């Protein structure tokens, strides 16, 4: 969630330390909100991460340096539909690695594409089947294969 203070160029309000006055999950109970950061130093654009499964309401105080109440306080709400929009992802989302799964739907789709179009190598001497992303540098996963007279079985490595 991104926001700006005031009604002028956002960079006019850079260097603030905004804090949550209210971060409310269920309409009754206020809980500590996530960290608020200036997205890029000097931009005057601030944001926080929201990944909840319930609707929230929030009120933010931009700080005592903003002496006019109409620009000092911001409020809003978020709901799970907005979380779904966020979790679809962006073109820069990671496909993950052998230790980390993708965190968004778009990352999962990209990983599947990399798997389908990437290089696959079976090394007979070690019994490992490696699947790389396109270009052959990022190892997506590795399976150990064991052979018998009747079949080959793969196991997690």
């Amino acid at each position: 969630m991104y926001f700006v203070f005031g009604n002028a160029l956002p960079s006019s309000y850079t260097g603030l330390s905004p804090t949550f006055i209210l971060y409310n999950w269920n309409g009754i109970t206020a809980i500590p909100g996530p960290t608020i950061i200036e997205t890029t130093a000097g931009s005057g654009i601030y944001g926080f991460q929201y990944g909840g499964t319930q609707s929230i309401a929030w009120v933010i105080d931009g700080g005592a340096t903003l002496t006019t109440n109409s620009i000092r306080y911001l409020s809003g709400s978020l709901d799970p539909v907005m979380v779904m929009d966020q979790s679809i992802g962006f073109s820069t989302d990671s496909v993950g690695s052998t230790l980390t799964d993708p965190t968004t739907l778009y990352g999962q789709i990209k990983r599947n594409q990399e798997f389908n179009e990437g290089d696959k190598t079976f090394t007979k001497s070690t019994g490992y089947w490696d699947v790389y992303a396109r270009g052959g540098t990022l190892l997506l996963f590795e399976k150990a294969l064991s052979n018998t007279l009747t079949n080959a079985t793969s196991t997690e490595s």
Side-chain angles (χ1 to χ4, degrees):
M1 171 72 195
Y2 297 102
F3 52 89
V4 296
F5 291 92
N7 51 11
L9 187 64
S11 59
S12 301
Y13 302 99
T14 187
L16 302 176
S17 298
T19 57
F20 282 101
I21 296 174
L22 172 72
Y23 192 81
N24 188 317
W25 285 102
N26 59 11
I28 300 168
T29 307
I31 60 173
T35 303
I36 300 171
I37 61 167
E38 188 170 9
T39 58
T40 302
S43 70
I45 300 171
Y46 299 85
F48 63 89
Q49 294 279 334
Y50 170 66
T53 58
Q54 296 179 341
S55 296
I56 64 163
W58 51 268
V59 178
I60 294 174
D61 180 355
T65 59
L66 299 175
T67 57
T68 306
N69 285 345
S70 63
I71 65 172
R72 179 175 174 175
Y73 300 99
L74 299 174
S75 62
S77 63
L78 294 168
D79 63 38
V81 171
M82 294 172 179
V83 173
M84 182 60 186
D85 292 343
Q86 177 184 340
S87 68
I88 289 172
F90 305 94
S91 60
T92 56
D93 288 352
S94 170
V95 298
S97 68
T98 55
L99 300 175
T100 307
D101 290 331
T103 59
T104 63
L105 295 175
Y106 194 76
Q108 291 280 359
I109 291 167
K110 285 174 56 175
R111 184 182 184 112
N112 286 338
Q113 182 180 12
E114 293 292 324
F115 174 80
N116 289 327
E117 296 178 1
D119 298 327
K120 288 103 175 141
T121 304
F122 174 62
T123 306
K124 291 180 182 181
S125 62
T126 62
Y128 284 109
W129 181 53
D130 296 329
V131 178
Y132 293 90
R134 290 175 289 175
T137 56
L138 175 63
L139 180 65
L140 294 176
F141 75 84
E142 186 174 67
K143 292 277 190 177
L145 300 180
S146 58
N147 294 307
T148 66
L149 291 175
T150 57
N151 60 19
T153 305
S154 71
T155 57
E156 292 290 331
S157 61

